[in-house]
DNA sequence: CTCTTGACTGAGG
DNA sequence: GCCTCAGCCAAGA
């Protein structure tokens, strides 16, 4: 696989689509899986282009489980509604059962 | 090439 | 546990 043609953003989109239904992950977890743990900010930045794609950006939050990117969604509470719709408990823009719904790509996909 | 932006994270107080 | 500071890196102009 030559991903040289793919940008860091494209890789982020690919991993984001791998997030199971009803689970969430952090930008750093995705970045780390991509081999760029220091590029967590790039992950979120990449999500700016997720609009119109099949990328479940609402399943990606910061390491605190805080819906930092909710502000980028169409509505003000759209992101929270989407998460709650998948069984995730969210309150005050923060995931409550984060430990239960957290999904780590590095572990789930196991560094093949 | 240089500068700016950014949906983050870890370390220190 | 909360707040603040600085580092980090990739893409766009």
């Amino acid at each position: 696989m030559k991903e040289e043609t793919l940008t860091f953003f494209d890789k982020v989109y690919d991993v984001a689509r791998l997030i199971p239904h009803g689970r969430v992950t952090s930008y750093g977890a995705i970045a780390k899986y991509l081999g760029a743990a220091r590029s967590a900010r790039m992950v979120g930045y990449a999500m700016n282009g997720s609009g119109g794609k099949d990328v479940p950006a609402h399943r990606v939050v910061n390491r605190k489980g805080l819906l930092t990117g909710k502000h980028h969604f169409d509505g003000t509470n759209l992101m929270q509604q989407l998460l709650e719709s998948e069984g995730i408990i969210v309150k005050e823009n923060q995931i409550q059962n984060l430990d239960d719904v957290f999904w780590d790509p590095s572990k789930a996909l196991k560094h093949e």
Side-chain angles (χ1 to χ4, degrees):
Chain A
M1 285 289 279
K2 290 181 59 64
E3 61 275 325
E4 273 77 76
T5 55
L6 298 177
T7 61
F8 186 84
F9 287 35
D10 293 314
K11 297 177 186 175
V12 174
Y13 303 144
D14 187 56
V15 177
R17 291 196 203 96
L18 298 177
I19 302 176
H21 175 268
R23 297 276 191 261
V24 297
T25 188
S26 63
Y27 304 98
I30 296 174
K32 185 175 183 178
Y33 176 73
L34 295 176
R38 306 293 182 176
S39 304
R41 315 173 83 174
M42 301 295 87
V43 178
Y45 191 64
M47 301 310 266
N48 283 315
S50 65
K53 300 184 183 301
D54 298 323
V55 181
H58 61 274
R59 292 181 189 157
V60 185
V61 296
N62 70 351
R63 79 178 189 86
K64 298 175 193 165
L66 187 65
L67 310 188
T68 48
K70 68 164 292 177
H71 206 57
H72 288 259
F73 281 77
D74 294 333
T76 49
N77 59 341
L78 176 61
M79 188 174 183
Q80 181 173 328
Q81 288 180 22
L82 290 170
L83 291 171
E84 292 182 322
S85 182
E86 299 192 356
I88 299 172
I89 301 172
V90 181
K91 189 167 216 98
E92 294 292 291
N93 301 334
Q94 186 173 324
I95 296 174
Q96 302 303 293
N97 56 343
L98 179 62
D99 295 311
D100 294 323
V101 301
F102 189 79
W103 178 81
D104 188 343
S106 298
K107 294 179 180 177
L109 303 178
K110 305 188 191 294
H111 299 232
E112 300 283 343

